[in-house]
Amino acid sequence: MRDVAVIGIGCTPFGEHWGTSFRDLFIQAGALALEDAGLSGEQIDAMYVGNMSAGRFIDQEHIGALIADYSGMATRHIPSTRVEAACASGGLSFRQAVIAVASGMEDVVVAAGVEKMTDVGTGTSVDTLAGAADREWEGFVGATFPGLYAMIATDYMHRYPLTREQLAQVAVKNHFNGARNPIAQFRQEITVETVLRSSLVADPLRLFDCSPITDGAAAVVVAPLERAREFTDRFVKVRASAQASDTISLHDRADISRLDATVAAGRWALKDAGLSHSDIDLVEVHDCFTIAEICAIEDLGFCRKGDAGRLTEEGVTALDGDLPVNTSGGLKACGHPVGATGIKQICEVVQQLRGEAGKRQVPDAVIGMTHNVGGTGATVAVHILEAI
Amino acid sequence: MSVARFWRKIPQRYNLIGTRCETCGTYFFPPRTFCPECRREGRIVDYRFPGKGKVVTHTVIRSASEQFEHLTPYVLAIIQLDEGPRFTAQVVAKPGEIEVGTRVRPVFRRIAADGESGVIHYGTKFVPVR
Ligand SMILES: [Zn+2]
């Protein structure tokens, strides 16, 4: 297997882009990534596109072909493949590109993610997102996606000493970071009171515990590490790529409050990279809800189960803490265009490792991790990147 | 949900008919036709659950998809049947009326109305046992 490098990144602003179509979002991100890598389109050998549900959001399937066509790749006939794993579609798209390059099958590969969510009403988007869980046995009885994470929160708060205020502090911290990220959907700081005064969505989760509905696209270019210097001197090495599965339904998990796919993917990634937790300088975790960030920090092994709320309160996960978590603002403040999120996480970590994260730069960041979850934990992708 | 898709699972939804693996003794609800433990060695038979169980975790859904919006706020829970399996169901109770560990029993109720086809979907909900 060959070592793989990320040689270019590009991300559209995240938000409600009523004036921009699905394909135009993708093209913006792809062009930014190619420009960043100093590449022209003729040098691309293959493309992967993470997308959860263009079929429901814009009535469009066959996304690989559409994207290849509108990015000018159809006339060159290079392979273009859609990757779907609900909210982990982006993370898996990146992993497929890494595998393609590592195996020697391809050399220069684009991994992208895109989601256009605001062309449908809230009811339809809530129902579409519920398809990330088990439609037959969760969605059918009225389980919404926030509702499932709310049941994780209820179970967690029953068993561990997590306060409602500590949960709110996850959102406060991520909004603080988002305020320093030019592409973030929400760029204003909030307080604990903002969260606690927002309306209940699914008890105990309130509106400000939830990531928003977002349009956006992100793209990165990967290439063999040995060739990276041909294109750029601002490349980042992929140290590990891990993916794990678990039951599609929350109710079938061995432990409602623990995402065993996160536990597995996190362990495998660290083992493959030959690293320990103390080597990780920052991590982008999948905070689709505040409780999800609490679980992620623990299930990735950064602290014992039950401690993440206290660590958040103490500022350990803040921008200037020992383990900065979600410097981008996370899904909560940066926004969550589901198929694009996993790629945006890679973009954020690459920016940090290149020292280009501006007001949210983590000093001397060398090794970063990304954690991308599909559904309530049925699919998890974990990646580790290192500055060279 | 299409009529056929709903109709296919009527015994399971109306009467809590799940399955049991005779090889390892594990009960399944929602039903499985393939035992993840015994794999091809598993012998799967139907099993009708009496439906006695307890609340494992719960929430109150206050913002739902269109099909369920008229029911909000409604209580949703993960129920563990006494035989072991866990599944998701609505609980006919007021917000705050149930907690982790509350004993429940099944009731036959309307679950949702399909706006397009006009078909009313029935199924099993739970009520707290006093
Ligand atoms: Zn068995």
Side-chain angles (χ1 to χ4, degrees):
Chain A
M1 296 279 271
R2 302 191 291 184
D3 283 331
V4 178
V6 180
I7 61 170
I9 56 171
C11 199
T12 68
F14 280 8
E16 298 179 19
H17 296 304
W18 291 297
T20 313
S21 68
F22 179 92
R23 64 191 77 184
D24 288 341
L25 282 170
F26 173 85
I27 290 161
Q28 270 185 40
L32 287 168
L34 260 61
E35 192 183 312
D36 184 56
L39 283 171
S40 69
E42 293 79 61
Q43 292 167 283
I44 304 297
D45 298 319
M47 301 168 70
Y48 291 91
V49 187
N51 173 254
M52 173 178 171
S53 198
R56 299 273 323 259
F57 286 126
I58 61 162
D59 291 325
Q60 177 72 56
E61 309 291 4
H62 212 173
I63 297 310
L66 175 79
I67 292 309
D69 185 1
Y70 273 77
S71 52
M73 298 292 169
T75 48
R76 291 185 51 243
H77 311 299
I78 63 158
S80 177
T81 308
R82 174 185 179 172
V83 180
E84 192 276 314
C87 327
S89 300
L92 266 60
S93 159
F94 181 72
R95 184 170 149 79
Q96 290 306 308
V98 169
I99 290 170
V101 173
S103 71
M105 282 284 280
E106 313 284 2
D107 265 7
V108 181
V109 178
V110 170
V114 53
E115 208 78 55
K116 174 76 190 167
M117 300 173 74
T118 62
D119 279 355
V120 296
T122 308
T124 305
S125 56
V126 167
D127 190 55
T128 302
L129 293 171
D134 187 344
R135 175 68 66 184
E136 202 100 34
W137 296 106
E138 294 181 311
F140 176 79
V141 297
T144 60
F145 214 60
L148 293 168
Y149 273 93
M151 291 201 290
I152 296 178
T154 301
D155 179 66
Y156 188 107
M157 293 170 93
H158 182 73
R159 295 163 58 193
Y160 304 107
L162 173 71
T163 66
R164 198 30 278 212
E165 286 71 20
Q166 288 170 339
L167 206 48
Q169 268 152 351
V170 173
V172 172
K173 185 249 318 160
N174 288 348
H175 271 260
F176 180 91
N177 296 351
R180 284 147 186 80
N181 186 353
I183 68 150
Q185 183 166 6
F186 299 125
R187 273 168 280 171
Q188 67 280 9
E189 294 179 24
I190 59 167
T191 63
V192 167
E193 287 67 40
T194 317
V195 182
L196 298 185
R197 277 202 310 259
S198 66
S199 56
L200 276 164
V201 173
D203 308 20
L205 300 182
R206 293 175 178 273
L207 187 63
F208 273 79
D209 290 299
C210 308
S211 56
I213 286 166
T214 310
D215 301 329
V220 301
V221 187
V222 296
L225 182 65
E226 68 211 16
R227 285 192 57 197
R229 251 178 244 286
E230 288 174 35
F231 309 104
T232 177
D233 53 7
R234 288 150 64 243
F235 59 89
V236 161
K237 182 181 176 181
V238 180
R239 282 291 296 264
S241 171
Q243 177 186 334
S245 307
D246 202 346
T247 61
I248 183 85
S249 298
L250 178 65
H251 54 235
D252 278 329
R253 303 283 160 72
D255 181 329
I256 303 289
S257 287
R258 193 181 67 222
L259 280 68
D260 280 340
T262 294
V263 174
R267 273 190 196 143
W268 295 338
L270 283 168
K271 184 164 177 282
D272 287 356
L275 295 169
S276 66
H277 290 95
S278 58
D279 297 316
I280 307 292
D281 297 314
L282 72 143
V283 56
E284 286 284 297
V285 304
H286 197 93
D287 61 319
C288 47
F289 301 92
T290 47
I291 185 66
E293 176 164 321
I294 296 291
C295 291
I297 292 166
E298 296 165 349
D299 297 342
L300 286 168
F302 288 105
C303 67
R304 281 187 318 168
K305 202 76 198 167
D307 283 351
R310 181 178 53 78
L311 295 180
T312 304
E313 187 175 17
E314 289 170 357
V316 172
T317 59
L319 209 44
D320 60 355
D322 286 344
L323 179 71
V325 176
N326 282 331
T327 56
S328 70
L331 284 57
K332 174 69 198 81
C334 191
H336 184 28
V338 280
T341 283
I343 300 291
K344 179 225 74 184
Q345 294 177 325
I346 302 285
C347 292
E348 174 67 15
V349 169
V350 169
Q351 269 194 310
Q352 289 281 356
L353 300 184
R354 301 199 310 205
E356 297 168 359
K359 287 180 182 164
R360 55 186 206 291
Q361 181 65 47
V362 174
D364 308 316
V366 179
I367 297 178
M369 179 186 271
T370 63
H371 164 257
N372 190 198
V373 177
T376 53
T379 302
V380 171
V382 172
H383 287 94
I384 300 176
L385 305 172
E386 182 182 17
I388 295 289
Chain B
M1 186 178 288
S2 74
V3 172
R5 187 174 180 185
F6 180 75
W7 173 84
R8 202 183 297 141
K9 296 285 186 216
I10 278 181
Q12 291 87 345
R13 296 192 194 286
Y14 283 17
N15 295 320
L16 286 178
I17 308 246
T19 56
R20 176 173 180 267
C21 173
E22 288 189 325
T23 309
C24 68
T26 308
Y27 293 88
F28 299 110
F29 195 91
R32 287 178 188 261
T33 52
F34 185 74
C35 175
E37 277 307 311
C38 307
R39 309 188 61 79
R40 275 162 50 195
E41 307 300 315
R43 280 172 36 84
I44 302 286
V45 295
D46 280 355
Y47 177 82
R48 181 171 178 158
F49 290 93
K52 293 207 179 80
K54 64 172 183 184
V55 171
V56 175
T57 182
H58 57 91
T59 182
V60 181
I61 306 285
R62 296 177 189 271
S63 172
S65 62
E66 281 148 15
Q67 260 197 321
F68 292 94
E69 196 56 52
H70 68 286
L71 286 176
T72 57
Y74 56 92
V75 176
L76 190 79
I78 291 178
I79 306 294
Q80 178 161 8
L81 295 173
D82 290 344
E83 293 88 342
R86 291 177 170 186
F87 61 100
T88 305
Q90 286 183 36
V91 179
V92 186
K94 291 190 184 68
E97 200 182 328
I98 61 163
E99 51 192 39
V100 173
T102 298
R103 296 286 303 170
V104 290
R105 65 177 173 83
V107 285
F108 185 67
R109 285 284 191 281
R110 171 180 161 145
I111 300 287
D114 192 322
E116 278 171 37
S117 65
V119 173
I120 295 172
H121 296 157
Y122 292 91
T124 304
K125 294 188 185 181
F126 285 78
V127 290
V129 178
R130 292 276 166 251

